[in-house]
Amino acid sequence: AQSVSQHNHHVILSEAASLELGCNYSYGGTVNLFWYVQYPGQHLQLLLKYFSGDPLVKGIKGFEAEFIKSKFSFNLRKPSVQWSDTAEYFCAVIPKAAGNKLTFGGGTRVLVKP
Amino acid sequence: GAVVSQHPSWVICKSGTSVKIECRSLDFQATTMFWYRQFPKQSLMLMATSNEGSKATYEQGVEKDKFLINHASLTLSTLTVTSAHPEDSSFYICSARPQDNEKLFFGSGTQLSVL
């Protein structure tokens, strides 16, 4: 079955460390890509999205993601994390071939130690 | 892992009819469920937060009488689109949060097409 995979389920790192979260999908053709974040006790917020154009996407709060079509990947990065980045991060994909259906990855829990 | 089942996955209805979408947590109890809507080429929009045994909390701009939410048990929340119109055609997705865990689990979504 076609899917969205986030390989890291849990990530623990210290403040100022760099963060990279993997996201791979198995859909061919055109895709729209998203990263969402859920802070403790809150609902989902959009970090960034890619529809077309520059494959390096800048988002809010210093996050960026790079779309590599040949690798079917859309990894999320932040050069220097803060304690407030502790949250769960979800990658999501809309494959054009599947119409408007949005599919989420399983999420990655990130804990930033002060 | 936890599973959230959402039905139906695809529904086509005539304008003026009502459509009910179910969201079930299959192996955990969820005191809180969320309903989202997604417009083409846009990100998710939170419609409402559904709390078991109490009234749902709707986001600004979402019509309460149009989108009826019922969370009658710890494993089931329903969204009823009343008197659906073509502009209600969209992708609706639910998510659920286990009682003692902050992690969100998503349903597979429902594509609603109103003719």
Side-chain angles (χ1 to χ4, degrees):
Chain A
Q2 295 183 317
S3 65
V4 181
S5 299
Q6 290 181 242
H7 310 296
N8 307 102
H9 298 295
H10 292 91
V11 172
I12 301 173
L13 59 168
S14 300
E15 277 193 312
S18 64
L19 173 70
E20 179 160 1
L21 303 181
C23 174
N24 287 88
Y25 58 93
S26 60
Y27 304 94
T30 302
V31 290
N32 295 328
L33 300 157
F34 306 83
W35 273 99
Y36 287 89
V37 61
Q38 185 204 4
Y39 297 103
Q42 300 182 29
H43 60 80
L44 283 181
Q45 298 176 37
L46 180 67
L47 270 180
L48 48 81
K49 60 186 178 183
Y50 172 81
F51 287 156
S52 63
D54 189 344
L56 185 61
V57 181
K58 302 287 186 183
I60 61 171
K61 304 186 181 186
F63 285 91
E64 66 178 28
E66 184 174 13
F67 171 49
I68 303 179
K69 189 174 183 178
S70 61
K71 294 185 177 180
F72 297 86
S73 70
F74 190 56
N75 292 353
L76 179 72
R77 298 193 291 253
K78 184 168 183 177
S80 177
V81 295
Q82 300 172 316
W83 174 79
S84 57
D85 293 320
T86 293
E88 186 152 23
Y89 295 80
F90 293 90
C91 177
V93 177
I94 301 175
K96 187 177 181 181
N100 200 27
K101 185 172 175 65
L102 177 69
T103 302
F104 281 89
T108 300
R109 280 195 156 182
V110 174
L111 173 63
V112 180
K113 297 185 292 183
Chain B
V3 176
V4 174
S5 175
Q6 186 173 340
H7 292 283
S9 57
W10 191 284
V11 57
I12 302 173
C13 68
K14 292 182 179 179
S15 185
T17 61
S18 295
V19 175
K20 180 184 282 188
I21 303 170
E22 291 189 350
C23 181
R24 293 180 184 272
S25 55
L26 296 185
D27 52 1
F28 66 95
Q29 294 182 324
T31 53
T32 306
M33 291 186 175
F34 303 90
W35 287 97
Y36 303 86
R37 180 176 179 177
Q38 192 207 358
F39 295 95
K41 291 196 172 183
Q42 296 185 30
S43 63
L44 286 180
M45 180 193 79
L46 178 66
M47 298 176 66
T49 301
S50 170
N51 298 295
E52 186 268 337
S54 63
K55 290 183 179 180
T57 303
Y58 289 82
E59 296 298 302
Q60 191 173 8
V62 178
E63 298 177 60
K64 301 178 183 180
D65 297 330
K66 175 78 173 174
F67 300 99
L68 300 179
I69 291 173
N70 184 286
H71 194 156
S73 76
L74 286 171
T75 59
L76 174 64
S77 176
T78 60
L79 168 67
T80 301
V81 183
T82 61
S83 187
H85 292 284
E87 58 266 30
D88 299 324
S89 298
S90 191
F91 186 75
Y92 296 86
I93 193 166
C94 70
S95 66
R97 174 183 289 159
Q99 253 178 321
D100 56 354
N101 194 312
E102 294 293 330
K103 184 173 173 62
L104 266 185
F105 297 94
F106 291 92
S108 55
T110 299
Q111 180 66 53
L112 171 63
S113 298
V114 184
L115 304 178

